[in-house]
Amino acid sequence: MTAHPVLAEALRGGIVESAHRGAVAVIDAGGTVHSAWGDIDRPIFPRSAVKVLQALPLVESGAAERFGLSDEELALACASHGGESFHTATAASMLAKAGVDVQALECGTHWPYHDGAIKALAAAGEQPSALNNNCSGKHAGFVCLGCLMAEGDDRRAFLRGYVKPEHPVMREVTAALQASTGYDLSKAAVGTDGCSIPTYAIPLRHLAHAFARVATGQGLRPGHAAAAQRLRQAVARAPQMVAGTGRLDTRLMQRLGERVFCKVGAEGVYCAALPTLGLGVAVKMDDGNNARACEVVLAALLVRLLPLGGDEAAFVHGLADVPLVNWNGIEVGSLRASAELLPA
Amino acid sequence: MTAHPVLAEALRGGIVESAHRGAVAVIDAGGTVHSAWGDIDRPIFPRSAVKVLQALPLVESGAAERFGLSDEELALACASHGGESFHTATAASMLAKAGVDVQALECGTHWPYHDGAIKALAAAGEQPSALNNNCSGKHAGFVCLGCLMAEGDDRRAFLRGYVKPEHPVMREVTAALQASTGYDLSKAAVGTDGCSIPTYAIPLRHLAHAFARVATGQGLRPGHAAAAQRLRQAVARAPQMVAGTGRLDTRLMQRLGERVFCKVGAEGVYCAALPTLGLGVAVKMDDGNNARACEVVLAALLVRLLPLGGDEAAFVHGLADVPLVNWNGIEVGSLRASAELLPA
């Protein structure tokens, strides 16, 4: 594998303790490269960073309207949430509106990501359900789409196996991913995601282009363009749903509103749409280990790209250069975007 | 920063999803390089991987004997433990033997690392104490050393600030680190560790050499050689103390006994002593993000270096090539040492 540039660094005692390499594509809606670092043509698994693309059929099909999904529910369909109580309640509500329940979900069960939610469940002597799965909103969206597609048939029977590539629901989802990225998924490497749906390896160039299309509507068919706008608005209105308390996606969109739509994915991926600039962004950190590196990289890209005022600029800059504090509250270093991205 | 070789890879869907670069030194007690990958002369922070070196004064001083520390307690002095109930009880016992209590600890407080321990605390409606800090055993060892050094003086007053570089306790600890690594720490970069003690940047070459000395006693002064042997034996007899349920250090030493002494450190560090071979090993993964990469790297090095029988070979090989399973229990890929370390 080519050695990509160092995009993020962890500092301690005045030296670089750890370094994160990666690649970034910033693309406009016409497909022109605005800026790039590293190899943007190597296919990578975008994982959860493309949930908004996978949610396009939920809106375009009319399922969201038929079941009267709210902003909160549409935002949750694009989310990797922390399993907080307002997330699980919203996922349950989506399922109820479609006439089914948690039994319909095929995402699997895990303890919530949010620390407080783990402790609250444990303190109540309860076990998590599939509603706590960080993907339960995305899956509830798939289930809503399936319930519309099932028409008069038995919904439960129709839904079974919706996570499989050959199921009619997943065919719609994959078709939306292909249409929005413009990448031939029939030839792509396919993996299985944490929540059991397929994940397709797509180059950063195509992922960033898809998010430029989401940002602008350009290059999307009308139904997808309208759906993308609706989903972006929903997330901007209910940013606590897309991630959760204290998490980067939520904090950024609470502060910047519709100027940024961003979404983290597992293994160091970030995608973002910047509607005011007409740009899409896609990031993959090589080590993929957790969110810390791609978060400061995304923040640094926003500092570079967005025209931000004083307080906003300081807020976003602070997310690109984050103090590291130890168990006694002593500042021991920092995690920051490298000078490649954010010159001192 | 030089691009080090890829030493570990995460696979999904038949392709490499993420890759981890790093450097490794394997050194004998005479200081000769047995094998190496990447730059082994760049100083790195060893963090918790050198706890056994930092525990040498506890034994050499006679404090361990004076306070009648057991194998379990000495193993905990070398540990980054999970904060399970048997860990916190052992730390508390060390403090009690020295005539003090949890108030003496200056490591700070965090929720236990062990999942079950978090949930048990939350279910009991309790908060963690400094005993749950993964370093509480190391700090209890420092406190025991300090209580011996305090002699007739007020123990509590003497102990105050023992985490500071200039405190008599920390001077002893630093002197042991310098003596065992043979590296001039007065010129090293100094950071503050998670538990507030200083961490010194030391090249992998010197760290591996120190562990070869720990493995053999060669090149250590007699008091340190005897202390190193005592600590290795204690950990081999109580490997559940050095990490905890299900964790790599514990599992490896439960299975391989005194043939391996190994210890993980934060930010992708591993150090190991291999007494039967007279070798020391030191690993630093560049991205430092969490344990996953350095764990498979260490296991691959053990496969390469140790003469292992059928079942043991399969056990250690299995730790160098680990299936990745999703929330539905489906195998979706693997985390493995690269072909650099473990040819197929």
Side-chain angles (χ1 to χ4, degrees):
Chain A
M1 183 186 279
T2 328
H4 284 141
V6 170
L7 301 181
E9 297 166 328
L11 276 84
R12 183 181 299 263
I15 65 172
V16 174
E17 179 167 27
S18 300
H20 300 272
R21 295 172 185 276
V24 175
V26 184
I27 308 277
D28 72 19
T32 302
V33 176
H34 172 283
S35 42
W37 290 261
D39 179 1
I40 66 171
D41 290 311
R42 186 175 70 89
I44 62 111
F45 289 124
R47 311 291 301 275
S48 291
V50 291
K51 280 175 174 169
V52 69
L53 307 179
Q54 294 167 320
L56 293 172
L58 171 66
V59 179
E60 189 192 38
S61 67
E65 198 177 348
R66 166 83 72 89
F67 298 122
L69 299 188
S70 64
D71 287 331
E72 285 74 13
E73 289 162 344
L74 287 175
L76 199 76
C78 303
S80 298
H81 63 73
E84 298 178 75
S85 55
F86 55 90
H87 296 131
T88 56
T90 304
S93 159
M94 294 171 75
L95 296 169
K97 286 178 174 179
V100 293
D101 64 17
V102 62
Q103 300 299 326
L105 293 178
E106 298 186 358
C107 50
T109 294
H110 63 74
W111 280 79
Y113 287 169
H114 185 258
D115 228 43
I118 296 173
K119 291 167 190 164
L121 266 186
E126 290 176 14
Q127 292 292 318
S129 77
L131 295 172
N132 293 101
N133 186 305
N134 77 92
C135 297
S136 70
K138 175 181 73 176
H139 279 253
F142 294 158
V143 165
C144 286
L145 174 62
C147 287
L148 186 85
M149 292 169 77
E151 306 254 347
D153 294 345
D154 176 353
R155 290 174 172 192
R156 290 186 161 275
F158 178 82
L159 285 171
R160 203 159 297 136
Y162 72 80
V163 293
K164 299 280 184 199
E166 64 275 12
H167 189 281
V169 165
M170 204 49 57
R171 282 181 189 275
E172 286 296 312
V173 170
T174 304
L177 192 60
Q178 173 152 325
S180 55
T181 59
Y183 191 67
D184 183 357
L185 299 184
S186 70
K187 292 174 185 149
V190 193
T192 303
D193 214 321
C195 65
S196 298
I197 72 164
T199 180
Y200 296 90
I202 301 171
L204 291 175
R205 179 192 298 275
H206 290 264
L207 292 168
H209 194 180
F211 277 79
R213 289 168 171 144
V214 163
T216 60
Q218 286 175 44
L220 294 179
R221 67 182 186 234
H224 278 171
Q229 189 178 25
R230 178 77 190 92
L231 290 166
R232 281 197 292 103
Q233 283 174 346
V235 171
R237 288 172 188 158
Q240 73 281 13
M241 288 295 163
V242 83
T245 307
R247 285 178 55 199
L248 187 69
D249 288 336
T250 294
R251 292 176 68 198
L252 273 171
M253 292 188 275
Q254 279 174 335
R255 187 72 181 250
L256 300 177
E258 280 196 59
R259 284 173 289 168
V260 175
F261 171 89
C262 60
K263 182 67 190 67
V264 72
E267 295 286 334
V269 180
Y270 241 109
C271 289
L274 305 176
T276 52
L277 304 174
L279 294 174
V281 175
V283 176
K284 163 72 181 175
M285 301 310 294
D286 295 349
D287 57 83
N289 222 332
N290 69 15
R292 77 172 188 180
C294 62
E295 287 188 354
V296 294
V297 168
L298 178 76
L301 292 166
L302 297 183
V303 170
R304 288 178 72 101
L305 296 169
L306 281 178
L308 294 171
D311 277 6
E312 284 180 347
F315 170 75
V316 182
H317 202 285
L319 298 171
D321 188 352
V322 183
L324 292 176
V325 171
N326 82 356
W327 301 118
N328 281 319
I330 301 167
E331 189 172 323
V332 294
S334 63
L335 181 70
R336 68 175 188 199
S338 73
E340 279 270 348
L341 291 179
L342 202 62
Chain B
M1 185 186 280
T2 330
H4 284 142
V6 171
L7 300 181
E9 298 167 328
L11 277 84
R12 184 181 298 264
I15 66 171
V16 174
E17 180 169 27
S18 300
H20 300 272
R21 296 174 186 275
V24 176
V26 184
I27 308 276
D28 72 19
T32 302
V33 175
H34 172 283
S35 43
W37 290 261
D39 179 0
I40 64 171
D41 290 310
R42 187 175 70 87
I44 64 111
F45 289 123
R47 311 290 303 272
S48 291
V50 291
K51 280 176 174 169
V52 68
L53 308 180
Q54 294 166 321
L56 293 173
L58 172 66
V59 180
E60 190 192 37
S61 67
E65 199 177 345
R66 166 84 72 90
F67 298 122
L69 299 187
S70 66
D71 287 333
E72 286 73 14
E73 290 162 343
L74 288 174
L76 200 76
C78 303
S80 297
H81 64 73
E84 299 178 74
S85 55
F86 55 91
H87 296 131
T88 55
T90 304
S93 159
M94 294 171 75
L95 296 169
K97 287 179 173 179
V100 293
D101 65 16
V102 63
Q103 300 299 327
L105 293 177
E106 298 186 356
C107 51
T109 296
H110 63 73
W111 280 79
Y113 287 169
H114 184 259
D115 228 42
I118 295 173
K119 291 166 189 162
L121 265 186
E126 291 175 12
Q127 292 292 318
S129 77
L131 296 171
N132 293 102
N133 185 307
N134 77 93
C135 297
S136 69
K138 175 182 73 175
H139 279 252
F142 295 158
V143 165
C144 286
L145 174 62
C147 286
L148 186 83
M149 292 169 77
E151 306 255 346
D153 295 344
D154 176 353
R155 290 176 171 189
R156 290 185 161 275
F158 178 81
L159 285 170
R160 203 159 298 134
Y162 71 81
V163 295
K164 299 282 182 196
E166 63 276 10
H167 190 281
V169 165
M170 204 49 57
R171 281 180 189 274
E172 285 296 310
V173 170
T174 304
L177 193 60
Q178 173 153 323
S180 55
T181 59
Y183 191 67
D184 182 358
L185 300 183
S186 70
K187 291 173 186 151
V190 192
T192 303
D193 214 323
C195 65
S196 297
I197 72 164
T199 180
Y200 296 90
I202 301 172
L204 291 176
R205 180 193 296 275
H206 290 264
L207 292 168
H209 194 180
F211 277 78
R213 290 168 170 144
V214 164
T216 60
Q218 287 174 44
L220 295 179
R221 67 180 184 235
H224 278 171
Q229 188 179 25
R230 177 76 191 92
L231 291 165
R232 283 198 291 102
Q233 283 174 345
V235 172
R237 289 173 187 159
Q240 74 281 9
M241 287 297 162
V242 83
T245 307
R247 285 177 56 199
L248 186 69
D249 288 336
T250 295
R251 293 176 67 199
L252 273 171
M253 292 189 274
Q254 279 174 335
R255 187 71 181 252
L256 301 177
E258 280 196 58
R259 283 173 291 169
V260 175
F261 171 88
C262 59
K263 183 66 191 67
V264 72
E267 295 286 334
V269 180
Y270 242 111
C271 288
L274 306 176
T276 53
L277 304 175
L279 294 174
V281 175
V283 176
K284 163 71 181 176
M285 303 307 296
D286 295 349
D287 57 83
N289 222 334
N290 69 15
R292 77 172 189 181
C294 61
E295 288 189 354
V296 295
V297 167
L298 178 77
L301 291 167
L302 297 183
V303 169
R304 287 178 72 100
L305 296 169
L306 282 178
L308 294 170
D311 276 6
E312 284 180 346
F315 169 74
V316 182
H317 202 287
L319 298 172
D321 188 352
V322 183
L324 292 176
V325 171
N326 80 358
W327 302 117
N328 281 318
I330 300 167
E331 189 172 323
V332 294
S334 63
L335 180 70
R336 69 176 187 198
S338 72
E340 280 269 348
L341 290 180
L342 203 63

